[in-house]
Amino acid sequence: MEILKKVYALYPTRGLKCDGCNLGENYYGDEICNLYHPQHSLKIKVCAKNNNVQEECKVCRINLPKMYYYCSICDFAIDLICVKKEVKKEIGDSKIHEHPLSLVPEMVSFTCHLCQVLDDRFPFVCNLCDLSFHQYCAESISEINYSCHPQHPLKRYTRVPSRTGGKCCLCGNKLHNVFYHCSVCNFSVDINCVKKPPPFSLHHPKAHEHPIILMPQRSFVCNACGMDDDPNPYFGIWDGIELEGISETNIELKSYEVVEEGLIKHSGHQNHVLKLKEESDGDDEGIVCEACVYPVFCGPFYSCTECDNYILHQKCAHLPKKKIDSFYKMEITLFPCDKMETILGLCEVCQHFFQGFRYTTKDDITLDMRCGSISEPFFHESHPHHPLYIDFSGNKTCKACGDEATFILSCQECGYFLDIKCPFLPNKVKHKYDKNHFLFLCYGKDTSDQYLCEICEEELNSEKWFYRCDECCITFHIKCTLGDLISLKQIVDAEPIKLEVIRNIHMTRLVCDVCHSRCHFPYMLKCSSPLGVDTLCSLQCFRQKYFHKMTPLYELSIDY
């Protein structure tokens, strides 16, 4: 280029870094047009070696090198690398917006609709919805499988939690706006590392005889240079032995087989055929699902064609027999309850007692069927716009009940949190206080109106979830409606204590022998021991008085 000869002496060389572009031999014209600045042509500028460039590239925001393009009319400059990049004028297949997004090739202020960060250049806009996005936000997807972290999927985050350390685990750069994160391993990568990941494996026979594998986030001393300043080493780790019995794919096995339309055989009730029904007798409050132990008030559900009392909700009957659980990333197997000996369990995730179907690992980690059925991304009708993901980050307040929980389902777009138990609350129930109508689950209302619970007659927080009768316009606390014994049934015989779940249908409310309050919950726990008989209103009261006296939970069985 003639312009270079005016400033520099040019001569052939090798092994040196170009101060102009860092690339090498690519030819650049003296004057060009660029889609980031279509209104004017850009001219090349070459600075003397002893002159420092104080400006930044308007595209990548990095300090300009000695040679760059600039507009002689506007305050616009772009480095040689960004000049060579392909410029997208439209994003027509965005996963975050239903309409095409068009580039605005101007330095204009906007707030990105996804990450809510204010910026001053080159937005992609939807002309129909009047929304603006960063290009990398518009092109992002909610979840990726990443070559440098193959054990878990990475989920898109638009806020930087404190637990991440605020840096990309690969390049060490500060995390901005949108990045991807594994909450199980606390592994984060920025957009640049997502687009251009380091190679997962290397094979350099002169340096090491075996292939070496990237193992991020590990302290080590390099065997080549002796330094310990990089947390992302490569190891030679293959021993030539194939691993058997390790599932390479997340294939879910069905727990039932279809006999014909509307008829199935289920692994938990193998000797008889189950028939699909759309409606149930709403007056029969004693029917419960064998899997989740929740009452069956309405369809669809499966009923045994030969047994009178074997019922499964349709969604419970369709639970997979084997799957990879979303909490421990281990293979779990569904075990049904047995009529002769049914275990009373304690779920490892939600720490709730339960009966009915359970998922178990080979190491005897037990999950109730609700926690075991959770898969990511998790969708719930209370938050239809965004998916939810398991979050291990610590105590968060549940939007549904207001309780704090350690294991939560979190929306990474807007900070919506649900604890593990609330998404599985029944949508439609019956209660003795309104025998003629169903009560429907409401996901909170933003209103200044005052609500009272029909059962306890105390104020009800309308921003939290509650049950409501649309016919009578009356409302109920969830706990007053269901209690916390809804996941238990029948009798548990665990010497020296015998437990029995009884319905609270007396004309006068019974008094709990622990908290001494008159119980308004639908079920109570009758506990018989050599010391006498106690009637308890909740599992909280049961834990307080009896938990330390009982046999380990996995040894308890139900006596039918």
Side-chain angles (χ1 to χ4, degrees):
M1 297 173 63
E2 293 299 322
I3 191 170
L4 286 176
K5 295 180 181 179
K6 299 177 181 179
V7 182
Y8 295 96
L10 303 181
Y11 54 89
T13 185
R14 59 184 297 182
L16 295 179
K17 178 179 170 182
C18 174
D19 287 321
C21 68
N22 298 332
L23 293 178
E25 298 180 357
N26 287 341
Y27 179 81
Y28 296 86
D30 292 341
E31 188 170 347
I32 63 169
C33 294
N34 187 270
L35 289 177
Y36 281 118
H37 195 69
Q39 56 269 44
H40 304 126
S41 61
L42 303 178
K43 297 180 180 180
I44 198 162
K45 185 172 184 178
V46 180
C47 299
K49 188 171 184 179
N50 56 352
N51 289 344
N52 293 323
V53 182
Q54 303 297 330
E55 300 179 65
E56 68 173 20
C57 172
K58 299 300 183 183
V59 177
C60 67
R61 305 172 197 262
I62 297 175
N63 288 340
L64 289 168
K66 301 293 185 183
M67 185 165 63
Y68 58 92
Y69 284 96
Y70 76 104
C71 176
S72 59
I73 301 173
C74 308
D75 180 26
F76 183 87
I78 182 172
D79 65 29
L80 303 189
I81 297 176
C82 291
V83 163
K84 289 291 185 180
K85 291 180 179 177
E86 180 184 0
V87 180
K88 279 192 175 182
K89 299 176 66 174
E90 183 176 272
I91 300 175
D93 56 351
S94 173
K95 298 297 188 294
I96 65 168
H97 194 68
E98 63 269 28
H99 303 138
L101 304 175
S102 302
L103 173 67
V104 178
E106 298 178 15
M107 303 284 290
V108 293
S109 295
F110 71 98
T111 300
C112 177
H113 185 66
L114 178 64
C115 67
Q116 297 298 308
V117 171
L118 180 66
D119 210 336
D120 62 358
R121 63 195 72 184
F122 313 128
F124 278 80
V125 301
C126 174
N127 296 317
L128 295 176
C129 303
D130 193 26
L131 298 177
S132 301
F133 301 86
H134 293 109
Q135 180 176 349
Y136 49 79
C137 290
E139 294 178 332
S140 68
I141 57 178
S142 61
E143 182 176 287
I144 62 171
N145 292 314
Y146 191 52
S147 61
C148 296
H149 192 74
Q151 57 267 48
H152 305 127
L154 304 184
K155 302 174 180 65
R156 180 182 61 205
Y157 276 55
T158 57
R159 297 177 180 84
V160 183
S162 58
R163 67 182 183 277
T164 64
K167 293 183 179 180
C168 173
C169 290
L170 294 180
C171 67
N173 290 336
K174 183 178 179 181
L175 296 173
H176 292 286
N177 305 351
V178 175
F179 66 99
Y180 287 87
H181 179 73
C182 172
S183 58
V184 178
C185 305
N186 196 22
F187 177 85
S188 305
V189 287
D190 61 18
I191 291 294
N192 290 331
C193 289
V194 168
K195 292 181 177 178
K196 295 182 178 180
F200 182 64
S201 64
L202 298 172
H203 189 202
H204 293 295
K206 292 183 179 180
H208 189 71
E209 57 186 310
H210 303 135
I212 52 177
I213 307 297
L214 180 66
M215 304 289 284
Q217 292 183 290
R218 295 170 183 265
S219 299
F220 79 107
V221 176
C222 178
N223 286 103
C225 66
M227 302 295 288
D228 62 354
D229 56 347
D230 188 338
N232 302 305
Y234 282 89
F235 286 89
I237 60 173
W238 183 60
D239 57 7
I241 300 175
E242 296 291 344
L243 297 178
E244 297 181 359
I246 303 297
S247 176
E248 295 182 357
T249 57
N250 185 7
I251 299 177
E252 296 186 350
L253 301 180
K254 288 185 177 181
S255 57
Y256 66 96
E257 60 178 81
V258 177
V259 177
E260 60 181 73
E261 185 176 358
L263 295 176
I264 65 169
K265 275 192 173 183
H266 197 274
S267 60
H269 198 65
Q270 299 179 3
N271 296 328
H272 299 151
V273 174
L274 305 183
K275 183 177 181 179
L276 182 64
K277 294 185 178 181
E278 295 296 333
E279 298 294 336
S280 68
D281 184 357
D283 295 329
D284 191 350
E285 298 181 20
I287 296 179
V288 297
C289 172
E290 293 293 324
C292 67
V293 198
Y294 278 7
V296 179
F297 290 115
C298 58
F301 63 93
Y302 285 98
S303 176
C304 180
T305 55
E306 299 185 38
C307 305
D308 294 332
N309 60 347
Y310 194 91
I311 306 287
L312 291 176
H313 289 118
Q314 185 185 45
K315 61 182 180 181
C316 296
H318 291 175
L319 289 174
K321 177 70 175 177
K322 289 183 182 290
K323 68 186 293 282
I324 302 298
D325 91 278
S326 297
F327 296 93
Y328 300 98
K329 306 301 178 184
M330 302 172 70
E331 186 178 278
I332 52 176
T333 303
L334 183 68
F335 288 96
C337 53
D338 190 294
K339 283 295 181 181
M340 298 303 295
E341 182 180 16
T342 302
I343 306 296
L344 173 66
L346 179 67
C347 177
E348 296 280 353
V349 174
C350 66
Q351 293 296 302
H352 283 197
F353 296 105
F354 72 93
Q355 292 172 241
F357 286 15
R358 72 200 58 237
Y359 279 102
T360 304
T361 71
K362 292 181 180 179
D363 298 323
D364 291 328
I365 295 176
T366 299
L367 286 72
D368 66 23
M369 55 77 57
R370 283 171 283 276
C371 292
S373 68
I374 292 177
S375 296
E376 295 181 298
F378 184 86
F379 295 93
H380 195 267
E381 60 185 16
S382 67
H383 195 65
H385 303 298
H386 302 136
L388 304 177
Y389 295 93
I390 295 171
D391 192 332
F392 301 86
S393 60
N395 288 346
K396 293 288 196 315
T397 301
C398 173
K399 177 67 175 177
C401 63
D403 293 343
E404 286 194 347
T406 301
F407 282 154
I408 57 172
L409 292 166
S410 169
C411 174
Q412 293 149 10
E413 307 294 338
C414 57
Y416 183 90
F417 303 115
L418 291 178
D419 69 15
I420 298 300
K421 68 179 185 302
C422 288
F424 299 98
L425 291 171
N427 291 325
K428 186 161 71 170
V429 300
K430 274 206 163 186
H431 195 274
K432 65 180 181 180
Y433 274 57
D434 193 358
K435 293 184 177 180
N436 297 323
H437 305 127
F438 283 111
L439 307 181
F440 293 91
L441 184 62
C442 295
Y443 300 127
K445 292 187 175 182
D446 186 10
T447 177
S448 58
D449 295 340
Q450 187 178 30
Y451 289 84
L452 294 177
C453 174
E454 190 71 12
I455 299 173
C456 68
E457 300 179 353
E458 295 182 1
E459 186 175 354
L460 183 151
N461 184 354
S462 61
E463 294 182 355
K464 305 302 179 186
W465 294 6
F466 58 91
Y467 283 103
R468 172 185 172 89
C469 174
D470 293 331
E471 300 288 335
C472 304
C473 295
I474 53 178
T475 53
F476 302 79
H477 285 126
I478 288 177
K479 190 167 184 179
C480 291
T481 307
L482 303 177
D484 64 355
L485 301 172
I486 191 171
S487 297
L488 302 180
K489 62 177 182 177
Q490 304 297 334
I491 299 171
V492 178
D493 194 4
E495 293 294 338
I497 300 172
K498 185 176 183 179
L499 308 178
E500 183 180 0
V501 179
I502 60 175
R503 296 181 64 188
N504 187 10
I505 55 176
H506 301 80
M507 292 296 294
T508 303
R509 294 174 180 170
L510 299 177
V511 177
C512 174
D513 291 315
V514 173
C515 66
H516 306 295
S517 63
R518 288 197 176 274
C519 177
H520 47 259
F521 299 149
Y523 300 97
M524 297 190 71
L525 201 59
K526 183 178 179 182
C527 305
S528 303
S529 72
L531 300 178
V533 178
D534 291 316
T535 303
L536 309 179
C537 67
S538 65
L539 286 176
Q540 181 179 354
C541 292
F542 164 71
R543 288 175 184 268
Q544 184 176 339
K545 184 164 186 178
Y546 285 101
F547 186 65
H548 66 284
K549 301 178 182 178
M550 293 191 63
T551 312
L553 290 172
Y554 55 80
E555 296 179 5
L556 303 186
S557 60
I558 297 176
D559 179 15
Y560 286 90

